Amino acid sequence: MQVEKNVVISEFIVNMEDVLYHRDNTDVNIAEKVAEQTASLAHYGVAHYVLTNATNQQDSDNLHIVQTDLFEHYPKLTLYFYRILMAFDFLQAHPEIEKAALTDAGDVKMLNYPFDAVEDGILYMGDETIFIYDTSILIGYDGPQFIKDFIWENGHLPILNLGIMVGTRETLIEYLGIMVKLITEAELSLAQGNDEAFLGTYKMAISNYVAYYYFKDRLVHGNQVSTIFHGEQMVSGAWFKHK
């Protein structure tokens, strides 16, 4: 399969518990679930690739649904972590991609074309209006000590939201690759009986840790990338609307 050079990639995992939103993800018509984002991308001539473990899904116009088998040897992973693995594998498999946006499937909409402004080496991410110390998922985080230390030392930083992430293919592979390495090491340690290696249920801690720790001097977030989180802004200079 040949992929366009500038694309938007989402993931939609089915038949796995959604431990945050508790949405039913069985017997899903994925094209309907992602229709708003797909239509917004079509306005700018951008292809939408949705990676999924579902079968019997139909492509339409600029929507390409890519069936992907999940790596089943990580029994502790939730669907949020599987999305990281799926995106990483897809980017690795398609060197023809030059720039990409990785987005949540159902609540993101493109407002302005982003790829002409994307610079080499810069990681662009969506964010939220609250800070790390205001976030119960992070304050109550019960994972490895090095991430706990990061959370408590950086409580003043805005929460980055992995629902919108933009960059060159190389930058995104670098960012996702660090998380994949941490996930792989944690799962191996868990298999060896070290329960303290568990990275948690949600990807918020690891995604903020990697972005701020490894990309602090080449990280862009805020109004250029995304609208005010949950702001329902329909007119904005941001690339994407998120909720």
Side-chain angles (χ1 to χ4, degrees):
M1 178 180 61
Q2 183 75 17
V3 176
E4 294 83 353
K5 67 177 184 177
N6 297 328
V7 297
V8 170
I9 303 166
S10 303
E11 306 84 32
F12 201 113
I13 296 175
V14 302
N15 302 323
M16 185 180 293
E17 182 183 6
D18 182 344
V19 292
L20 181 59
Y21 296 108
H22 306 289
R23 295 169 180 155
D24 181 11
N25 58 20
T26 60
D27 192 25
V28 174
N29 184 320
I30 291 176
E32 291 182 357
K33 294 290 187 180
V34 303
E36 183 178 23
Q37 180 169 189
T38 301
S40 74
L41 301 179
H43 179 74
Y44 294 98
V46 176
H48 192 191
Y49 287 84
V50 179
L51 316 179
T52 181
N53 60 326
T55 57
N56 301 318
Q57 300 286 323
Q58 297 297 317
D59 293 354
S60 60
D61 299 324
N62 66 313
L63 173 63
H64 307 278
I65 300 178
V66 182
Q67 198 278 326
T68 305
D69 293 331
L70 299 182
F71 186 68
E72 297 179 351
H73 301 289
Y74 291 162
K76 292 285 188 178
L77 290 189
T78 63
L79 62 84
Y80 307 106
F81 288 91
Y82 274 114
R83 289 174 59 186
I84 294 171
L85 302 179
M86 292 169 79
F88 179 70
D89 287 346
F90 187 76
L91 286 169
Q92 279 199 313
H94 292 283
E96 67 272 25
I97 295 173
E98 295 180 6
K99 299 174 182 178
L102 309 183
T103 65
D104 282 349
D107 56 15
V108 172
K109 182 177 180 180
M110 182 179 282
L111 300 181
N112 296 285
Y113 187 79
F115 298 117
D116 290 342
V118 170
E119 298 181 17
D120 291 342
I122 303 297
L123 178 66
Y124 303 85
M125 293 186 69
D127 62 11
E128 302 186 17
T129 56
I130 55 177
F131 299 93
I132 286 176
Y133 63 67
D134 286 329
T135 310
S136 59
I137 288 177
L138 293 187
I139 294 304
Y141 181 69
D142 188 24
Q145 189 61 47
F146 71 95
I147 296 184
K148 288 181 184 177
D149 291 344
F150 163 79
I151 290 170
W152 288 108
E153 292 168 4
N154 296 278
H156 62 288
L157 295 174
I159 287 290
L160 303 175
N161 191 302
L162 207 59
I164 299 173
M165 175 178 28
V166 189
T168 63
R169 173 177 175 269
E170 291 77 10
T171 302
L172 294 174
I173 285 177
E174 180 186 358
Y175 175 60
L176 294 172
I178 296 170
M179 287 194 285
V180 169
K181 180 177 183 291
L182 292 174
I183 291 167
T184 302
E185 291 173 345
E187 289 296 314
L188 177 60
S189 188
L190 284 168
Q192 294 171 338
N194 178 16
D195 291 340
E196 294 182 359
F198 182 53
L199 288 174
T201 302
Y202 310 107
K203 64 185 183 299
M204 183 176 287
I206 185 176
S207 62
N208 274 261
Y209 166 75
V210 172
Y212 278 125
Y213 189 83
Y214 291 95
F215 291 83
K216 61 182 179 181
D217 296 327
R218 47 196 182 107
L219 175 67
V220 173
H221 61 91
N223 293 338
Q224 177 182 353
V225 181
S226 59
T227 57
I228 296 172
F229 190 63
H230 277 294
E232 295 295 345
Q233 294 174 273
M234 296 307 297
V235 178
S236 171
W239 294 336
F240 293 95
K241 170 184 175 291
H242 195 183
K243 300 186 187 290

